[in-house]
Amino acid sequence: MPDIPSPVLVTGASTGIGRATVRALVGRGVDTVASVRSDADAQGLLDELGDQHLNVLQFDITDSDAVTERISSLDALGAIVNNAGTAVPGPLEYLDPADLRWQLEVNTVGHVVATQAALPLLREHGEGARIVNIGSMAGRVSGRMVGAYSMSKFAMAAFSDALAQELEPFGIGVALIEPGAIDTEIWETSTARSRDMLAAMPEEARERYADMVEDTLKVGERSARLAISPDRVVKVIIDVLTARHPRPRNLVGIDAKAAGLVARLPTELRTPILKQVL
């Protein structure tokens, strides 16, 4: 297997796909830079993995100045895995603009800023440098109560597609990973946010959307039970990092591949299907 371009920066490395990716890279002896937000998360990674191949950066992905400063401070970089993410649920009619901005900042804008900061180092690395963006099947199809999240992931897909074309002449590969349901903490936090959001909505909103929210929560609970391990996504990330010509888009999981098929259907056929599964 070809060497992984290193060091590799992984954002959102405290839990889920990010932490699993860091664990796999360090286990292979790859120099890895993990970004986290808190002292506790940083110490947790170092306690688990040691510091032989691991460097931890602390920044909030929504703090553009901190993102640029921390990444620019690195001496070298061969790849970046843009992974940090969150989910803001709820009906778009009552979505607080501040929550929408936060959703887009975490899932999209922060990764654009991180990539901009990483590119000078990736250019120094030269041919074979990689940018891996973690999207979602929600970047192919959008359903009720997850409009804001889908907006952010559709944007990540557009970002990846445009960036791949812009960087192709310079030998920097760009790939989008589009997982389905993954067994991570995002399910618990999203469910808690959904219930908090429902409780905080005006009475008229609860009357209009309570049933829809409950249906969406049930779908989420079912998806969580069927969710696959983050290690399945990590395998694809490793494949992308080592492939001579990485695939631009990579669906992971049966549900994601099904979503890819549904996304190709005409709208009048697609919408009734999505109402049953999202």
Side-chain angles (χ1 to χ4, degrees):
M1 177 180 290
D3 291 337
I4 292 173
S6 66
V8 181
L9 168 62
V10 182
T11 68
S14 59
T15 60
I17 294 170
R19 191 174 188 120
T21 301
V22 171
R23 187 181 295 120
L25 292 171
V26 171
R28 289 169 175 261
V30 177
D31 290 336
T32 305
V33 182
S35 89
V36 297
R37 287 185 299 172
S38 70
D39 291 338
D41 290 337
Q43 193 59 53
L45 276 173
L46 291 169
D47 288 345
E48 177 187 357
L49 301 174
D51 60 2
Q52 184 174 0
H53 294 288
L54 178 61
N55 178 20
V56 180
L57 295 183
Q58 285 185 236
F59 57 75
D60 186 322
I61 197 69
T62 67
D63 185 341
S64 295
D65 290 341
V67 170
T68 300
E69 178 185 346
R70 302 292 192 281
I71 294 177
S72 298
S73 72
L74 298 173
D75 294 327
L77 204 60
I80 181 172
V81 180
N82 287 311
N83 164 77
T86 190
V88 174
L92 293 173
E93 180 179 3
Y94 293 96
L95 181 65
D96 189 319
D99 290 337
L100 175 59
R101 291 188 183 96
W102 184 67
Q103 174 75 95
L104 295 174
E105 286 284 345
V106 174
N107 285 15
T108 309
V109 177
H111 298 311
V112 176
V113 174
T115 301
Q116 290 171 336
L119 269 168
L121 296 170
L122 297 178
R123 288 184 185 279
E124 286 184 17
H125 183 278
E127 190 82 18
R130 292 283 183 269
I131 298 169
V132 183
N133 294 320
I134 305 301
S136 169
M137 69 176 185
R140 299 252 183 153
V141 294
S142 185
R144 303 173 296 174
M145 302 294 119
V146 292
Y149 179 74
S150 289
M151 289 163 67
S152 71
K153 293 302 185 179
F154 268 85
M156 276 298 283
F159 169 57
S160 290
D161 288 350
L163 194 66
Q165 296 173 58
E166 292 172 0
L167 298 182
E168 188 273 335
F170 309 110
I172 300 175
V174 180
L176 178 69
I177 312 294
E178 301 171 282
I182 305 299
D183 186 12
T184 69
E185 291 82 354
I186 196 170
W187 295 104
E188 295 176 7
T189 56
S190 181
T191 297
R193 284 198 188 109
S194 294
R195 297 201 180 281
D196 290 344
M197 173 272 303
L198 183 61
M201 284 195 301
E203 180 62 30
E204 65 177 24
R206 288 197 294 273
E207 291 175 359
R208 289 172 180 162
Y209 289 107
D211 290 345
M212 200 178 296
V213 170
E214 289 300 327
D215 287 345
T216 303
L217 289 172
K218 289 176 183 177
V219 170
E221 291 170 358
R222 183 173 69 246
S223 296
R225 290 194 297 270
L226 300 174
I228 61 176
S229 168
D231 292 334
R232 291 273 298 278
V233 182
V234 173
K235 181 181 183 304
V236 179
I237 292 172
I238 299 296
D239 289 345
V240 165
L241 289 173
T242 55
R244 184 175 179 82
H245 300 289
R247 294 178 58 185
R249 290 197 174 197
N250 303 265
L251 290 162
V252 185
I254 294 174
D255 53 349
K257 292 174 181 178
L261 294 174
V262 171
R264 299 178 185 178
L265 296 175
T267 302
E268 60 269 21
L269 297 178
R270 183 170 68 242
T271 301
I273 295 173
L274 294 176
K275 288 177 67 175
Q276 296 300 317
V277 298
L278 291 179

